[in-house]
Amino acid sequence: MSNATRDGRVWEPDFLLGIDPKKCIGCGRCFKVCGRDVMTLKGINEDGELVALDQEDEDDEIEKKVMVMNDEGACIGCGACARVCPTNCQTHGALKAEAA
Ligand code: SF4
Ligand code: SF4
């Protein structure tokens, strides 16, 4: 399968393969620029577990926020998220992310 831009130039997608939770500061910039809902913001509680942010009861326990993969298969490899990340914590590549 070949990938091409509108006028037929070769386009190699640079897929988001992963986000390092130790480096991510949960700033949300990558989420804002992604049009594909590939990522979602989660909280990490004091036990180091990922928790949803939409449950107000649990907000007190959240120690930090991190971006995690939500629907990695939807990524088109545009690379926008990598350009806005201030901590360079994302891994990108030509290969599609392995199925979870
Ligand atoms: S490469 Fe593009 S489509 Fe994929 S996660 Fe980043 S912003 Fe979204
Ligand atoms: S832009 Fe980088 S640091 Fe900010 S939430 Fe996304 S992955 Fe984390």
Side-chain angles (χ1 to χ4, degrees), residues 14-16 30 33-39 74-82 90 92:
D14 197 19
F15 297 111
L16 175 62
C30 55
V33 298
C34 179
R36 304 281 304 168
D37 283 341
V38 175
M39 300 158 280
C75 178
I76 58 172
C78 68
C81 53
Q90 302 175 355
H92 284 254

Side-chain angles (χ1 to χ4, degrees), residues 72-89:
E72 58 221 49
C75 178
I76 58 172
C78 68
C81 53
R83 287 197 290 276
V84 297
C85 180
T87 64
N88 209 14
C89 60

